[in-house]
Amino acid sequence: MDAQFAIAGKDFAISVADKKVTRSIVTMKHDKDKTYNLTPHTFISVAGEPGDTDNFSEYIQANIRLYSIRNSQDLTPSETANFIRGELANALRSRRPYQVNTLVTGYDKTTGKASLYWIDYLSAMAKVPYAAHGYCSYFVYSTMDREYSPDISLEKGLDIVRKCMASLKQRFLVDFSDYVIKVTDKQGIREIPMSEL
Amino acid sequence: MNDNVVAGVAGLTADANILINQSRIIAQRYLLRYDSPIPVEQLVRRLCDLKQGYTQFGGLRPFGVSFLCAGWDSTFGFQLYQSDPAGNYSSWKAACIGENSGNAQSILKQEYKEDADQEQPDVAGASMTLDDAMKLTCLVLSKTIDTAKLTSEKLEFATITLKDKKPHIHVYSSEEIDQVLEKHR
C-alpha cells in the first residue's frame, strides 16, 4: 500500500514517497525514508515488497557510486534509469525476482533538463512528465493530469503535490499523513520538510 | 571502434584486429547497459587495461600495437588518445605513432596552432579548422614517408566531426584521398 508519485518540470523534479512500512493489517514502521540518493543530482524512490526494496536500492546505489568513483564522472538520469531497468530485467529472469517499483528522478547538468522515469517490477520503463505507483495512482493521476503543464514552476509543482496529498487524505482508505518530499534541480537534491510544504 | 570513436593503428595488424574487435564488444556492451555511447576515455582505458594485462606475466607476448584514438563524447567533446603496446595511454591535441614518429612529432609541435580562446575546452583547445588540420597531416606525411609522391594506395584518412550534434566518422575513399593530396600538395 505504498504511496509514491513524482512530477518533472523543465529544470526541476519533485518526488514524494510515504513513510509507512506495512505487513498485513499492521503498521510496522511510520518513519521509513523510501528514497535513495544515487548521484548529487539523481535519486530514486521505491515501493513494493519491503525487504526487496532495501536490498535492490542499496545494490543500485552502490553500483552507481562505484561507477562515479571508477570514472570520476556521474551517470546521467537517463543512463541511471536504463541501468536500473537492466538490472531489474536480469533479476526478473532469475529464480527470485525483485518485486520493486521505482521512480527515477534526476537533473542532467550537461543539458540543464530534469527528467523522470517510471519503472515497474516487470522492468517496463517510460520517460514521463509525472508518475505514480500503486493504489495511490488511482487518486493522484487525475489531479496531476489536470494541473500539469510542461513549463510549471517549482512553486506550482509543490502546489500540485499539496493537492495530491489532499485528495489522498480525503478519499484513500489509508491515512499516510507523513511523506518524504525531495526536489532535484541545478543545486542538487534537497528534502523539503512536511512543515514547510 | 564505435559510432563515436575511430582508431588508427601502428604495429602488428593481426594483433590490432583482435583489440579492435574487443573494443567494439566493450562499446556495444556499454550501449546495452546504459543506452548511451561509451565515453572516449573509458573505451581507451578498457582497451589499454587489456594490453597492460599481457605485460604482467611471462609465457605470452604483449600485443604489438600502438593506437591513435580520436573520439567525441558529450562531457569532454573531441579527444585524441595515444597508446603503446604496454598499455600506457595519454591525451593529446596532436600526436603520431609508428615509423618516423619522432620527426612527425616535431613538425606537429612547430605547425600546430593553439586555440585563441582557452575558455572553451570542449573543442580540445583547437582553433584549427578541419581543412587546416588536413593540410598539416599532408605536410607531416610528405616529410616522413620517404617516397617521391604521396598516393592514395599507401594512405588512409579518417575524420570525426559533429553532424546535427551527433558524431560522424568519415573514412575517405581513395578518390577523396587523391583530391585531398592534390589540394594540399
Side-chain angles (χ1 to χ4, degrees), chain A residues 46-66:
Chain A
V46 287
E49 190 68 24
D52 282 6
T53 52
D54 291 321
N55 277 290
F56 183 68
S57 307
E58 280 173 26
Y59 170 73
I60 293 296
Q61 198 178 34
N63 274 100
I64 301 288
R65 183 91 188 95
L66 177 64

Side-chain angles (χ1 to χ4, degrees), chain A residues 73-197:
Chain A
Q73 196 183 128
D74 291 328
L75 286 170
T76 63
S78 111
E79 288 165 345
T80 307
N82 275 285
F83 172 72
I84 293 171
R85 198 206 76 85
E87 291 301 316
L88 213 52
N90 282 139
L92 186 69
R93 278 96 189 166
S94 76
R95 204 172 55 79
R96 208 181 76 80
Y98 291 111
Q99 289 177 36
V100 177
N101 297 316
T102 317
L103 293 177
V104 185
T105 317
Y107 173 83
D108 192 336
K109 273 188 293 182
T110 45
T111 60
K113 282 180 184 149
S115 55
L116 169 65
Y117 291 83
W118 177 97
I119 308 171
D120 74 359
Y121 74 104
L122 293 168
S123 309
M125 183 171 82
K127 186 179 189 294
V128 285
Y130 48 84
H133 274 305
Y135 284 117
C136 103
S137 64
Y138 297 116
F139 299 90
V140 298
Y141 262 132
S142 53
T143 310
M144 292 195 289
D145 189 55
R146 176 180 286 269
E147 303 287 329
Y148 184 85
S149 71
D151 55 349
I152 52 167
S153 64
L154 177 60
E155 197 31 62
K156 173 68 181 162
L158 291 172
D159 191 48
I160 299 174
V161 168
R162 278 188 283 267
K163 283 181 170 146
C164 288
M165 285 177 180
S167 93
L168 283 171
K169 196 177 176 70
Q170 189 164 45
R171 294 291 173 196
F172 195 29
L173 169 75
V174 186
D175 179 22
F176 292 108
S177 65
D178 206 8
Y179 298 90
V180 174
I181 305 146
K182 270 188 179 172
V183 173
T184 180
D185 57 14
K186 208 159 87 186
Q187 287 114 49
I189 303 167
R190 64 180 179 281
E191 194 178 333
I192 296 181
M194 279 296 279
S195 54
E196 287 173 27
L197 185 69

Side-chain angles (χ1 to χ4, degrees), chain A residues 63 67 70-73 75 78-80 82-83 87 110, chain B residues 30 32-37 39 42 45 73-76:
Chain A
N63 274 100
Y67 181 100
R70 270 189 179 158
N71 306 303
S72 2
Q73 196 183 128
L75 286 170
S78 111
E79 288 165 345
T80 307
N82 275 285
F83 172 72
E87 291 301 316
T110 45
Chain B
Y30 189 99
L32 178 65
R33 219 173 187 207
Y34 301 108
D35 194 28
S36 81
Q42 250 183 81
R45 190 180 65 213
D73 62 48
S74 55
T75 15
F76 297 112

Side-chain angles (χ1 to χ4, degrees), chain B residues 3 10 24 32 37 39-40 52 60 63 94 97 113 115 117 125 141:
Chain B
D3 285 350
R24 284 175 179 165
L32 178 65
V40 183
Q52 194 275 340
L60 290 168
F63 290 102
I97 50 175
K113 283 185 194 67
D115 190 2
D117 183 12
L141 287 168

Side-chain angles (χ1 to χ4, degrees), chain B residues 120-133:
Chain B
Q120 286 194 315
D122 59 356
V123 286
S127 69
M128 297 175 84
T129 62
L130 180 63
D131 202 47
D132 292 340

Side-chain angles (χ1 to χ4, degrees), chain B residues 87-136:
Chain B
N88 303 305
Y89 71 88
S90 43
S91 170
W92 298 93
K93 289 177 179 174
C96 46
I97 50 175
E99 216 173 312
N100 255 333
S101 59
N103 288 337
Q105 190 84 42
S106 58
I107 299 169
L108 286 177
K109 205 168 184 176
Q110 271 174 16
E111 301 293 326
Y112 184 87
K113 283 185 194 67
E114 282 291 334
D115 190 2
D117 183 12
Q118 292 289 349
E119 294 301 303
Q120 286 194 315
D122 59 356
V123 286
S127 69
M128 297 175 84
T129 62
L130 180 63
D131 202 47
D132 292 340
M134 289 302 274
K135 191 177 176 183
L136 179 51

Side-chain angles (χ1 to χ4, degrees), chain B residues 1 16-29 43 46-47 50 63:
Chain B
M1 288 156 82
N17 285 332
I18 290 170
L19 290 168
I20 291 293
N21 280 340
Q22 282 296 328
S23 68
R24 284 175 179 165
I25 291 168
I26 291 166
Q28 285 303 114
R29 227 177 251 151
L43 184 57
R46 293 285 300 279
L47 192 65
L50 192 71
F63 290 102

